[in-house]
């Protein structure tokens, strides 16, 4: 099989999303009954090394959005649960709470307007009162058409 660094594809262009997909795929492979058989122990060991390498690589990548931050938290929760045992589940529970807060904060953010509202108004020269009341409607009609 290929070198662990080649499997991770760490050529500097990795993203949290791409690494997350690799992590999920490896976890799926490791849960397969074919991989857990005794005949596949060397392959299983290699997959575990690759999985640990990918988990460490998450710390070197910057998340680009809330989904990627959440993915990094998922990796941390899983690694903690596997390495710390039942006595330290509070750490994983804390991370779940942080992840929920993060997702709720992302849902509360209002969508930014595509352009500032101040750019929507147009300025027109002021008309004198002698021009008549009927002509002021024309300015409003042309400003709403623009």
């Amino acid at each position: 099989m290929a070198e662990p660094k080649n499997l991770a594809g760490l050529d500097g262009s990795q993203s949290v999303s791409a690494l997350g997909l690799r992590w999920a795929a490896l976890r799926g492979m490791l849960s397969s009954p074919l991989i857990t058989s005794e005949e596949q122990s060397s392959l299983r060991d290699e997959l575990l090394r690759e999985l640990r390498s990918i988990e460490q690589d998450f710390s070197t990548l910057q998340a680009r959005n809330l989904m990627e931050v959440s993915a990094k938290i998922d990796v941390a929760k899983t690694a903690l649960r596997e390495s710390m045992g039942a006595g330290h589940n509070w750490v994983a529970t804390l991370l779940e709470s942080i992840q929920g807060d993060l997702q709720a904060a992302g849902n509360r953010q209002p969508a930014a307007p595509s352009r500032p509202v101040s750019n929507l108004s147009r300025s027109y020269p002021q008309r004198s009162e002698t021009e008549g009341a009927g002509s002021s409607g024309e300015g409003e009609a042309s400003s709403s058409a623009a």
Side-chain angles (χ1 to χ4, degrees):
M1 207 158 172
E3 294 282 323
K5 280 294 182 189
N6 290 344
L7 284 175
L10 297 177
D11 59 358
S13 63
Q14 279 286 22
S15 68
V16 171
S17 296
L19 209 55
L21 290 173
R22 293 192 56 75
W23 178 79
L26 282 169
R27 295 206 42 88
M29 284 187 246
L30 286 165
S31 66
S32 167
L34 295 172
I35 299 296
T36 58
S37 70
E38 190 60 38
E39 300 92 37
Q40 299 298 331
S41 65
S42 64
L43 177 58
R44 180 174 175 75
D45 291 343
E46 189 173 344
L47 291 174
L48 281 169
R49 281 192 304 275
E50 176 65 12
L51 183 68
R52 299 302 170 235
S53 174
I54 286 175
E55 288 172 344
Q56 291 175 3
D57 291 339
F58 271 97
S59 65
T60 64
L61 297 174
Q62 183 174 0
R64 298 174 293 184
N65 53 48
L66 293 178
M67 184 181 68
E68 289 187 351
V69 173
S70 184
K72 289 174 84 170
I73 293 172
D74 277 337
V75 170
K77 283 189 314 192
T78 302
L80 280 170
R81 282 194 177 115
E82 291 175 354
S83 66
M84 295 181 106
H88 297 284
N89 277 342
W90 68 271
V91 178
T93 303
L94 175 62
L95 285 172
E96 284 176 4
S97 173
I98 292 167
Q99 191 174 31
D101 294 343
L102 180 68
Q103 290 169 350
N107 291 337
R108 286 190 301 252
Q109 292 178 346
S114 59
R115 59 182 183 180
V117 177
S118 61
N119 288 348
L120 296 177
S121 64
R122 304 216 188 255
S123 58
Y124 291 94
Q126 292 290 331
R127 295 199 168 130
S128 66
E129 290 185 27
T130 58
E131 291 184 54
S135 63
S136 65
E138 293 174 46
E140 291 171 14
S142 64
S143 66
S144 63

